């Protein structure tokens, strides 16, 4: 079952340099590294929100350009680093993606809210009245509403408190297991990377400095750069 | 000529130009160079155009009118295009838009015999239509750029969920259109009440019966209203595309400017 989902062949984009990387089915890849190292840029490439300046991205064995973009993006769900919500209510946001493809089902709302630990009476709340953490959770639920097979998460819990992080991580893990999702996640939290990931990619200055299996890679870094990063952490 | 405006009076108008200039100076608004330059340039242009018009008005209408209209549309296009230089295809869109609008109003005026095909009537009336359309397109374009700037994150989020550029910029386009149309509609509502419109004023000053002047003013006001609306619609419904590339990605405006 280790079918290759993504394969990046010497990709260059803004800061990213010579990125070669394989991501297999049902892998949970954690990307970490200093800020400005190109983590968000890398994540955008998988969803085709941006394209490489050089190099090639294969998706399920075909060049990523061969897929129809709206369907590709629906299927490869991205949660942006900033939770940019649409007007007006939480419900409007959850419906947005499915409505684009005319497959919104009202009864799924409860499951979506459960994933992100929000009570049902939040549905009619104006998004402007939400806290940073709540926005982040709505943003995650909005992407999950599209039922993606591959999930790209850009620091999805950075604005949450420990209690919510724990609960959402648990729900995410359940979801990933039950739906056999493939996950690529950017996190600044190395403990979280160890809890959620089975593969790690360490980026620095736009290059992959080290990659390996988790939690081993963080506990026993091979390169000086990653050693420095984990000890300063 | 029974009436004339003395050169001295024209000089007095400079006082009016100086008012915003002075306010701007005290509040450091940074408009001053622009205002001075615009008024000097405006005055020179008017005198120069007076000379050219005298010559062109003496040509046969079928020759003179198209020449004058082409020149006006070209200048207007260059001017409006400045507000969105960094975007692709802006020039050709504005040019096409202005030509379509001009043909549309000409057909209306001549078809229903509201205006005769003489430079004295067609040129000033077209000038008002083209001028207002140009300003409307420039403003819509500016507004659209700022809406795209403030809503960039939401547009990215929409795209990432599978929205097409059209779907992703729906709110942005709607807001641009509203912003461009509201002042236009307001102006139509108060026409003749708050401001005596330019054409009517001109005709009455020139000694035409007020009732005739009002009829002309109606023709021009409604023509301007329609043209400005069409301009805003063209910018909003066509130009949003220029903010995206073939691959449904938001183009980096700062990158384009370089
Ligand atoms: N569109 C862009 N144009 C120019 N520079 C960019 C653009 N997007 C990102 N960058 C720069 O690329 C670098 C990496 O950005 P990013 O991928 O967001 O890093 P990270 O997520 O690791 O913090 C940053 O220095 C950022 O300023
Ligand atoms: Mg980032």
């Amino acid at each position: 079952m280790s079918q290759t989902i993504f394969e990046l062949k010497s990709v260059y984009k803004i800061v990213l340099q010579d990125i070669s990387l394989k991501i297999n089915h049902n892998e949970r890849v954690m990307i970490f590294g200093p800020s400005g190292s190109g983590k968000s840029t890398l994540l955008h490439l998988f969803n085709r929100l941006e394209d490489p300046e050089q190099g090639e991205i294969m998706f399920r064995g075909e060049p990523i350009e061969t897929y129809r973009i709206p369907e590709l993006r629906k299927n490869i769900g991205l949660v942006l680093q900033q939770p940019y919500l649409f007007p007006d209510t939480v419900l409007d946001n959850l419906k947005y993606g499915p409505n684009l493809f005319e497959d919104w089902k009202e009864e799924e709302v409860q499951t979506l809210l459960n994933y992100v630990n929000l009570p049902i009476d939040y549905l009619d709340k104006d998004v402007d009245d939400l806290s940073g953490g709540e926005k982040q959770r709505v943003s995650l639920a909005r992407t999950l509403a599209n039922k993606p097979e591959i999930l790209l998460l850009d620091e999805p819990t950075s604005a949450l408190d420990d209690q919510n992080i724990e609960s959402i991580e648990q729900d995410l893990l359940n979801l990933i297991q039950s739906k056999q999702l493939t996950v690529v996640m950017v996190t600044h939290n190395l403990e979280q990377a160890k809890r959620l990931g089975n593969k790690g990619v360490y980026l620095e200055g736009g290059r992959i400095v080290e990659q390996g299996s988790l939690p081993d890679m963080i506990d026993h870094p091979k390169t000086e750069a990653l050693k420095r990063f984990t000890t300063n952490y | 000529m029974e009436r004339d405006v003395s050169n001295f009076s024209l000089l007095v108008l400079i006082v009016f130009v100086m008012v915003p200039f002075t306010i701007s100076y005290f509040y450091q608004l940074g408009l001053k160079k622009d205002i001075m330059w615009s008024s000097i340039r405006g005055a020179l242009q008017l005198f120069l155009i007076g000379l050219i018009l005298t010559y062109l008005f003496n040509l046969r209408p079928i020759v003179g009118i198209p020449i004058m209209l082409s020149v006006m549309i070209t200048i207007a296009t260059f001017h409006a295009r400045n507000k969105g230089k960094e975007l692709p295809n802006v020039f050709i869109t504005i040019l096409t838009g202005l030509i379509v609008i001009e043909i549309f109003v000409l057909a209306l005026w001549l078809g229903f015999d509201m205006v005769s095909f003489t430079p004295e009537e067609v040129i000033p009336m077209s000038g008002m239509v083209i001028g207002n359309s140009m300003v409307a397109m420039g403003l819509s374009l500016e507004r659209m750029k700022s809406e795209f700037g403030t809503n960039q994150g939401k547009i990215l989020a929409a795209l990432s969920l599978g929205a097409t550029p059209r779907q992703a910029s729906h709110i942005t386009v709607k807001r641009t259109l509203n912003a461009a149309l509201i002042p236009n509609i307001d102006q139509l509502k108060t026409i003749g009440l708050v401001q005596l419109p330019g054409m009517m004023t001109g005709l009455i000053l020139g000694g035409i019966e007020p009732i005739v002047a009002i009829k002309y003013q109606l023709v021009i006001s409604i023509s301007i209203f329609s043209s400005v609306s069409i301009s805003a619609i063209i910018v909003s419904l066509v130009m949003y595309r220029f903010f995206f590339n073939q691959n449904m990605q938001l183009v980096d405006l700062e990158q384009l400017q370089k």
Side-chain angles (χ1 to χ4, degrees), chain B:
Chain B
M1 276 248 190
E2 301 158 35
R3 297 198 49 179
D4 195 358
V5 181
S6 75
N7 290 340
F8 172 73
S9 315
L10 281 179
L11 221 61
V12 172
L13 279 181
I14 290 178
V15 174
F16 280 98
V17 177
M18 293 304 288
V19 172
F21 172 61
T22 317
I23 294 172
S24 165
Y25 179 81
F26 281 114
Y27 288 90
Q28 320 263 301
L29 290 178
L31 305 166
K32 43 191 190 272
K33 237 174 59 194
D34 235 29
I35 291 179
M36 279 306 271
W37 175 231
S38 307
S39 30
I40 292 171
R41 206 173 74 167
L44 284 177
Q45 275 167 5
L46 280 177
F47 280 113
L48 198 69
I49 282 162
L51 291 177
I52 296 171
L53 280 183
T54 323
Y55 168 73
L56 288 173
F57 275 31
N58 291 328
L59 291 174
R60 294 198 355 258
I62 196 70
V63 181
I65 290 177
I67 293 180
M68 285 184 269
L69 290 180
S70 307
V71 172
M72 284 155 66
I73 288 177
T74 309
I75 294 172
T77 304
F78 272 106
H79 194 84
R81 185 281 301 253
N82 276 340
K83 311 276 183 190
K85 248 187 189 155
E86 63 279 32
L87 294 168
N89 299 326
V90 162
F91 187 85
I92 190 71
T93 309
I94 293 177
L95 184 67
T96 314
L98 289 177
I99 291 172
V100 168
I101 287 168
E102 179 59 27
I103 289 173
F104 169 78
V105 292
L106 268 185
L108 192 78
W109 294 342
L110 302 175
F112 292 92
D113 217 14
M114 297 182 224
V115 169
S116 61
F117 195 64
T118 57
E120 289 85 347
E121 293 195 16
V122 170
I123 295 306
M125 294 203 34
S126 299
M128 282 185 264
V129 163
I130 294 169
N132 280 285
S133 303
M134 168 191 87
V135 171
M137 285 185 182
L139 284 178
S140 308
L141 199 50
E142 245 176 0
R143 179 70 186 220
M144 181 164 261
K145 277 198 305 190
S146 90
E147 289 285 345
F148 264 92
T150 45
N151 291 315
Q152 190 181 31
K154 287 176 200 162
I155 294 170
L156 278 178
L159 289 174
S160 80
L161 292 166
T164 60
R166 187 201 183 94
Q167 292 165 327
S169 50
H170 180 74
I171 296 172
T172 309
V173 168
K174 216 168 72 181
R175 288 171 60 133
T176 308
L177 198 55
N178 275 341
L181 287 183
I182 286 166
N184 188 30
I185 292 166
D186 281 349
Q187 198 158 27
L188 197 68
K189 278 193 287 201
T190 60
I191 204 147
L193 298 175
V194 177
Q195 44 166 339
L196 262 199
M199 174 129 176
M200 197 159 106
T201 317
L203 291 175
I204 293 172
L205 286 177
I208 304 268
E209 286 277 319
I211 191 72
V212 178
I214 285 169
K215 282 186 194 162
Y216 270 99
Q217 184 61 49
L218 263 180
V219 170
I220 193 64
S221 292
I222 290 169
S223 303
I224 289 176
F225 173 77
S226 315
S227 321
V228 166
S229 306
I230 295 171
S231 302
I233 290 167
I234 288 174
V235 170
S236 309
L237 299 189
V238 176
M239 295 205 191
Y240 79 86
R241 290 160 216 265
F242 305 160
F243 292 81
F244 300 89
N245 65 20
Q246 309 287 348
N247 299 324
M248 303 194 185
Q249 293 157 341
L250 207 51
V251 297
D252 193 337
L253 287 183
E254 280 159 42
Q255 204 88 329
L256 280 176
Q257 269 158 353
K258 279 170 206 161

Side-chain angles (χ1 to χ4, degrees), chain A residues 81 122 144 177:
Chain A
Q81 187 166 6
Y122 265 60
L144 294 176
Q177 301 296 0

Side-chain angles (χ1 to χ4, degrees), chain A residues 58-231:
Chain A
M58 308 294 281
F59 177 56
R60 297 197 198 281
E62 304 282 335
I64 199 167
E65 296 83 16
T66 54
Y67 296 86
R68 278 179 51 87
I69 291 172
E71 284 76 12
L72 182 89
R73 288 181 180 157
K74 175 192 196 304
N75 195 26
I76 306 175
L78 169 65
V79 178
L80 290 166
Q81 187 166 6
Q82 303 290 328
Y84 300 108
L85 299 183
F86 310 130
D88 295 296
T89 64
V90 171
L91 181 63
D92 290 328
N93 278 270
L94 300 186
K95 280 156 71 168
Y96 187 87
N99 268 343
L100 295 172
F101 302 92
E102 287 162 17
D103 66 356
W104 168 248
K105 296 186 196 70
E106 200 76 44
E107 63 271 19
E108 280 163 15
V109 120
Q110 186 64 63
T111 325
L112 288 172
L113 290 174
N114 284 345
Y115 285 148
V116 297
N117 219 17
L118 283 174
I120 189 95
D121 59 323
Y122 265 60
L123 279 182
D124 296 322
K125 269 210 178 201
D126 192 312
V127 294
D128 291 333
D129 299 334
L130 301 179
S131 73
E134 288 166 342
K135 284 183 180 157
Q136 201 164 39
R137 287 184 273 164
V138 173
S139 159
L140 173 58
R142 177 175 70 181
T143 299
L144 294 176
N146 261 344
K147 302 202 183 103
E149 290 176 70
I150 295 140
L151 201 49
L152 310 170
L153 307 168
D154 200 345
E155 309 198 19
T157 59
S158 61
L160 302 186
D161 53 57
D162 289 345
Q163 217 176 344
N164 272 311
I165 290 180
E166 198 183 324
S167 146
I168 286 175
E169 279 183 4
Q170 208 47 59
D171 289 337
L172 267 179
L173 275 175
N174 290 340
L175 179 74
I176 292 163
Q177 301 296 0
S178 68
K179 300 261 163 78
Q180 297 277 297
L181 301 186
T182 304
V183 179
V184 186
M185 172 163 155
V186 173
T187 179
H188 59 280
N189 182 335
L190 291 182
E191 289 310 311
Q192 182 175 55
K194 289 202 279 188
R195 286 193 300 267
L196 291 182
N198 57 11
K199 178 177 174 173
V201 173
Y202 177 63
L203 271 184
E204 198 181 292
R207 290 180 183 274
I208 297 179
V209 174
E210 189 173 337
Q211 53 178 310
S213 57
L214 285 174
D216 199 51
M217 177 186 168
I218 290 173
D219 292 336
H220 310 287
K222 291 197 181 71
T223 57
E224 281 307 312
L226 183 53
K227 249 176 231 168
R228 236 179 295 120
F229 186 73
T230 51
T231 45

